[in-house]
């Protein structure tokens, strides 16, 4: 299966927006974002106290909230707000024949080159490979010929570790939707066109993972397979291309840093008739974070062939309407979407002679929606703040009660966590039961009644 590498891709085609000039010209920007993510509890290296594990990451208290909000926003747009898409959750371990049928056993490979001197391995198309020279130890003429390396993780089902017991950790969620196509169609009494959506873990033994959470060995995907009548696939493909770009911009991502990239003939996966990536201009350059693929009837046909079970659609009303459906797939990583949101939201600003670092996350995805701050720890202010905090929590709104340090420091902490609203209980609150609301991005302040706070925040986070 031809694999696509973000770094190797040519500049995109069909750009909907003018190309921005910022971001990539500051090489330290990514470092500072990674450092903020650790410091504030978004993302930690896995097994850090043992020196870390290669390209797997753990999400901390703020990271897990951001992750949940991303998944919820996707599920809402793809399942809850539509009648024509059903959700499901297939298992990670599947029958080995699934991966034979899908082409992954034979073809989900990267070309790999090994240094005969230091035994480091590299992807054959890695840009740092100079002709005949190892980029790590510098040995000359020690590099092997490229050989194929399958990216699927293998393990064994049951107590006997032999070839018959081999199973794979799935490298994509899509196959779980294909093998359940008839089950979902019948159980949900759907008619074509309709889709199956899944959010779940996938695993790939990437040879050169990296760029923080951009390419990891364990990751989560949000994938939707839309089953359509052959001949209508191109129209649906265009529809989903538009929908997916609209989704990411609805989460506040700057449209000037988004573009489509159409796969050329040498980039197309074997199953794809047509494919577009949505790319983002990360601090390390333009790279894919979502793919929209016209997978034709390839997967269903192969599963029909390998399983011997009919995967034809027969319309429940018009029995003459029967065909193996084409599939338009939308596939995006949870972690990669988080990286888009974090990179897009990261700002450094000069305010009053000091640098203010903030994450300008859209209120819908921000991990904490409101910081509740008593101006001083006396005169009943902490009690009023605690009451407001409890009301927000009871309404399912994640708020944070912070009374430690000066108000300026507390604002800075909230800004770095991406908290869109800071609600301060001050002297005037004692008199008229209003609080100051400070907007993270504009620093504008207004006063609202304490009893309106829950509704006010809820309206702005779209809950
Ligand atoms: N079912 C089709 C499929 O898996 P893909 O382009 O290989 O297509 C879809 O993957 C999305 O999954 C990518 O756009 C990316 O967001 C995410 N993804 C793929 N490999 C990843 C990795 N190693 N680490 C993090 N995310 C990854």
């Amino acid at each position: 299966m031809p694999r696509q590498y973000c770094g190797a891709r040519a500049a995109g085609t069909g750009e909907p927006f003018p190309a921005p000039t910022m971001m990539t010209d500051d090489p330290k920007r990514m470092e500072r974002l990674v450092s903020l993510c650790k410091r504030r509890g978004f993302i930690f290296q896995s097994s850090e106290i043992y020196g870390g594990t290669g390209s797997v990451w753990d999400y901390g208290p703020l990271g897990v909230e951001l992750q949940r909000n991303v998944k919820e926003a996707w599920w809402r747009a793809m399942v809850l707000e539509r009648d024509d898409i059903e959700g499901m959750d297939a298992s990670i371990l599947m029958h080995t024949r699934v991966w034979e049928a899908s082409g992954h056993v034979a073809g989900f490979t990267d070309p790999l080159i090994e240094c005969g001197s230091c035994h480091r391995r590299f992807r054959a198309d890695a840009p740092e490979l100079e002709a005949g020279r190892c980029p790590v130890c510098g040995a000359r003429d020690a590099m092997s010929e490229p050989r194929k390396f399958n990216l699927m993780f293998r393990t064994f089902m049951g107590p006997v570790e032999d070839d018959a017991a081999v199973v794979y950790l799935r490298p994509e969620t899509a196959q779980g939707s294909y093998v359940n196509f008839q089950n979902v169609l019948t159980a949900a009494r759907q008619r074509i066109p309709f889709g199956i959506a899944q959010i779940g873990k996938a695993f790939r033994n990437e040879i050169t993972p990296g760029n923080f959470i951009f390419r990891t060995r364990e990751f989560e995907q949000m994938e939707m397979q839309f089953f359509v009548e052959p001949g209508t696939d191109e129209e649906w493909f265009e529809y989903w291309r538009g929908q997916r770009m609209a989704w990411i911009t609805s989460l506040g991502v700057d449209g000037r840093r988004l573009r489509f990239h159409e796969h050329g003939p040498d980039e197309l996966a074997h199953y794809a008739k047509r494919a577009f990536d949505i790319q983002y201009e990360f601090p390390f350059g333009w790279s894919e974070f979502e793919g929209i693929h016209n997978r034709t009837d390839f997967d269903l046909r192969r599963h029909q062939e390998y399983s011997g079970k009919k995967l034809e659609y027969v319309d429940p009303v018009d029995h003459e309407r029967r065909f193996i459906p084409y599939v338009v797939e939308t596939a995006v990583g949870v972690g990669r979407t988080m990286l888009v949101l974090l990179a897009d939201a990261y700002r450094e600003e000069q305010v009053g002679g000091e640098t203010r670092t903030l994450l300008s996350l859209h209120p819908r995805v921000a991990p904490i929606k409101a910081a509740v701050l008593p101006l001083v720890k006396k005169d009943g202010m902490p009690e009023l703040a605690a009451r407001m905090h409890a009301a927000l929590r009871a309404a399912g709104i994640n708020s944070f009660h912070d009374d430690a340090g000066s108000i300026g420091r507390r604002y800075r902490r909230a800004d770095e966590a991406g908290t869109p609203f800071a609600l301060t209980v001050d002297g005037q609150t004692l008199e008229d039961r209003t609080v100051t609301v400070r907007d993270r991005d504009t620093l504008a302040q207004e006063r609202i009644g304490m009893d309106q706070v829950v509704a006010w925040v809820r309206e702005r986070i779209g809950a």
Side-chain angles (χ1 to χ4, degrees):
M1 180 180 303
R3 296 237 308 144
Q4 279 77 49
Y5 305 113
C6 300
R9 282 184 192 153
T13 53
E15 284 174 39
F17 305 108
T21 52
M22 51 198 290
M23 298 283 288
T24 43
D25 51 16
D26 179 358
K28 296 273 179 210
R29 192 185 160 87
M30 190 67 189
E31 256 173 54
R32 292 199 294 272
L33 174 63
V34 172
S35 151
L36 180 145
C37 284
K38 179 171 180 196
R39 187 170 72 245
R40 297 314 315 269
F42 279 91
I43 300 162
F44 309 124
Q45 197 181 5
S46 162
S47 318
E48 191 185 346
I49 60 167
Y50 288 98
T53 319
S55 262
V56 277
W57 299 87
D58 298 338
Y59 294 112
L62 294 187
V64 75
E65 292 298 330
L66 175 61
Q67 185 196 47
R68 279 166 45 89
N69 295 339
V70 166
K71 289 196 272 187
E72 261 171 46
W74 188 87
W75 197 258
R76 189 156 141 180
M78 300 299 272
V79 181
L80 301 183
E81 290 177 358
R82 308 184 62 106
D83 291 326
D84 57 357
I85 299 184
E86 305 290 340
M88 70 160 293
D89 184 15
S91 58
I92 287 169
L93 301 176
M94 300 178 76
H95 199 292
T96 307
R97 294 281 284 166
V98 168
W99 305 111
E100 290 166 9
S102 69
H104 284 82
V105 170
F108 194 55
T109 54
D110 267 353
L112 177 142
I113 287 181
E114 185 170 339
C115 170
S117 176
C118 69
H119 299 289
R120 297 288 173 96
R121 291 167 174 186
F122 308 91
R123 220 163 59 191
D125 62 353
E128 67 269 23
L129 276 182
E130 287 170 44
R133 191 171 178 164
C134 174
V136 173
C137 73
R140 288 189 179 278
D141 302 322
M143 307 308 279
S144 71
E145 284 302 307
R147 65 185 171 84
K148 285 184 171 177
F149 172 75
N150 196 297
L151 295 163
M152 284 196 293
F153 279 97
R154 279 153 48 108
T155 186
F156 301 96
M157 182 95 80
V160 184
E161 296 192 1
D162 63 11
D163 283 354
V166 165
V167 285
Y168 298 99
L169 303 189
R170 67 180 175 197
E172 62 170 7
T173 66
Q175 300 301 326
S177 299
Y178 301 142
V179 300
N180 279 293
F181 159 68
Q182 290 289 15
N183 285 338
V184 176
L185 179 74
T186 314
R189 295 192 295 119
Q190 280 284 358
R191 289 178 72 189
I192 275 180
F194 89 103
I196 301 179
Q198 280 204 69
I199 300 178
K201 287 267 173 130
F203 303 82
R204 296 181 190 179
N205 199 2
E206 302 279 2
I207 302 170
T208 48
N211 273 334
F212 196 30
I213 56 170
F214 179 81
R215 185 178 290 119
T216 54
R217 293 195 166 107
E218 173 179 343
F219 56 98
E220 212 164 3
Q221 289 187 311
M222 304 183 284
E223 295 199 303
M224 192 281 298
Q225 317 301 319
F226 205 71
F227 301 90
V228 303
E229 185 161 355
T232 65
D233 49 306
E234 287 175 23
E235 216 175 296
W236 280 111
F237 183 80
E238 287 307 317
Y239 169 81
W240 280 111
R241 206 153 78 83
Q243 290 291 303
R244 297 307 304 149
M245 183 61 99
W247 182 75
I248 194 69
T249 50
S250 79
L251 299 183
V253 174
D254 184 347
R256 291 169 305 171
R257 296 195 189 115
L258 293 166
R259 70 182 183 189
F260 285 114
H261 165 66
E262 180 164 17
H263 287 201
D266 55 336
E267 291 175 291
L268 280 176
H270 68 275
Y271 54 72
K273 173 173 157 188
R274 206 158 172 229
F276 273 89
D277 293 336
I278 306 181
Q279 294 186 332
Y280 178 75
E281 191 187 23
F282 291 97
F284 45 84
W286 285 99
S287 292
E288 166 202 355
F289 72 93
E290 169 145 10
I292 298 110
H293 313 126
N294 183 340
R295 290 182 76 135
T296 69
D297 57 1
F298 176 86
D299 298 272
L300 288 183
R301 242 179 225 291
R302 293 272 289 202
H303 286 305
Q304 177 167 284
E305 188 190 322
Y306 277 65
S307 68
K309 300 280 182 322
K310 256 197 165 341
L311 293 178
E312 191 185 45
Y313 171 75
V314 182
D315 190 85
V317 179
D318 174 4
H319 292 196
E320 296 301 305
R321 199 177 158 232
R322 51 172 66 211
F323 47 83
I324 298 198
Y326 268 40
V327 172
V328 176
E329 173 187 60
T330 73
V332 61
V334 176
R336 224 174 262 187
T337 304
M338 289 171 68
L339 190 58
V340 169
L341 296 173
L342 288 166
D344 205 63
Y346 185 83
R347 310 238 187 296
E348 288 162 14
E349 290 177 2
Q350 291 301 315
V351 179
E354 278 188 29
T355 304
R356 174 172 93 109
T357 305
L358 71 150
L359 287 179
S360 181
L361 291 165
H362 191 287
R364 259 179 88 188
V365 292
I368 299 170
K369 310 301 184 192
V372 178
L373 316 171
L375 187 61
V376 289
K377 280 200 237 181
K378 58 180 185 185
D379 301 334
M381 290 185 205
E383 290 74 14
L384 284 177
R387 204 191 301 164
M388 198 159 61
H389 175 54
L392 285 160
R393 291 242 154 191
I397 296 169
N398 199 7
S399 69
F400 182 70
H401 184 198
D402 190 357
D403 61 7
S406 73
I407 192 75
R409 288 184 65 144
R410 284 182 272 163
Y411 280 150
R412 279 198 291 282
R413 276 200 292 268
D415 290 344
E416 273 201 346
T419 307
F421 310 112
L423 310 164
T424 305
V425 173
D426 51 23
Q428 197 178 324
T429 314
L430 307 177
E431 289 165 22
D432 63 6
R433 292 293 188 265
T434 62
V435 292
T436 307
V437 187
R438 169 188 176 271
D439 183 283
R440 173 200 61 204
D441 298 342
T442 63
L443 301 180
Q445 301 203 356
E446 62 176 296
R447 292 200 78 83
I448 58 171
M450 269 186 74
D451 55 357
Q452 295 160 27
V453 160
V454 168
W456 191 94
V457 175
R458 187 179 269 151
E459 194 187 322
R460 277 152 188 84
I461 64 176

